[in-house]
Amino acid sequence: QVRLMESGGGSVLAGGSLRLSCAISELPGSYCLGWFRQAPGKGRERVATIDTWRRRTYGDSVKDRCTISLVSGKITLHLQMESLKTEDTGMYFCAARRGFQCSGESSEFEYWGPGTQVTVSS
């Protein structure tokens, strides 16, 4: 059982930045890790993913504004977000799945953290 716990959310003005972190209890031999977000009344949206070989993907709405990274020693997944917009507001979740596939579909992820709220105001 992989356990995940997000931190780093909060309130920020538009144009600001935030760094989200996700503590992960263990990494399978092969994995896909991701950040997703969900705004009120909307579905869960992929923000970024990183796989076993450190290949990264980003959602179109955050491309060039976000960076996903993984620190292996104390297994922590980070999401650095810059130039935040009001539409970035939502609950942010980190997620993990076993295996080499990393399509970014939320339904494929087996393990989820409880989420951390990000609120961007103008």
Side-chain angles (χ1 to χ4, degrees), residues 82-110:
E82 309 285 350
S83 303
L84 284 162
K85 305 176 182 180
T86 55
E87 51 263 45
D88 293 319
T89 294
M91 186 69 78
Y92 283 69
F93 302 89
C94 66
R97 63 155 294 166
R98 299 176 185 270
F100 292 105
Q101 282 192 314
C102 202
S103 69
E105 292 293 328
S106 60
S107 59
E108 295 179 354
F109 285 76
E110 305 161 80

Side-chain angles (χ1 to χ4, degrees), residues 37-59:
R37 68 185 182 190
Q38 188 163 16
K42 295 189 176 181
R44 199 161 286 189
E45 175 190 15
R46 173 181 63 100
V47 179
T49 63
I50 186 168
D51 69 9
T52 311
W53 297 282
R54 300 296 198 269
R55 293 178 300 191
R56 298 165 172 82
T57 70
Y58 296 94

Side-chain angles (χ1 to χ4, degrees), residues 9 13 16 21-22 27-32 38 42 78 101 105 117-118 121-122:
L13 292 176
S21 298
C22 176
L27 280 180
S30 59
Y31 55 84
C32 177
Q38 188 163 16
K42 295 189 176 181
H78 295 290
Q101 282 192 314
E105 292 293 328
Q117 177 68 36
V118 171
S121 57
S122 58

Side-chain angles (χ1 to χ4, degrees), residues 1-67:
Q1 182 80 9
V2 178
R3 296 182 299 278
L4 307 101
M5 180 61 67
E6 304 91 342
S7 61
S11 297
V12 64
L13 292 176
S17 60
L18 273 178
R19 189 189 197 209
L20 305 183
S21 298
C22 176
I24 303 173
S25 62
E26 62 179 282
L27 280 180
S30 59
Y31 55 84
C32 177
L33 306 175
W35 283 99
F36 293 81
R37 68 185 182 190
Q38 188 163 16
K42 295 189 176 181
R44 199 161 286 189
E45 175 190 15
R46 173 181 63 100
V47 179
T49 63
I50 186 168
D51 69 9
T52 311
W53 297 282
R54 300 296 198 269
R55 293 178 300 191
R56 298 165 172 82
T57 70
Y58 296 94
D60 289 340
S61 62
V62 302
K63 202 174 291 185
D64 300 326
R65 297 190 296 119
C66 287
T67 303

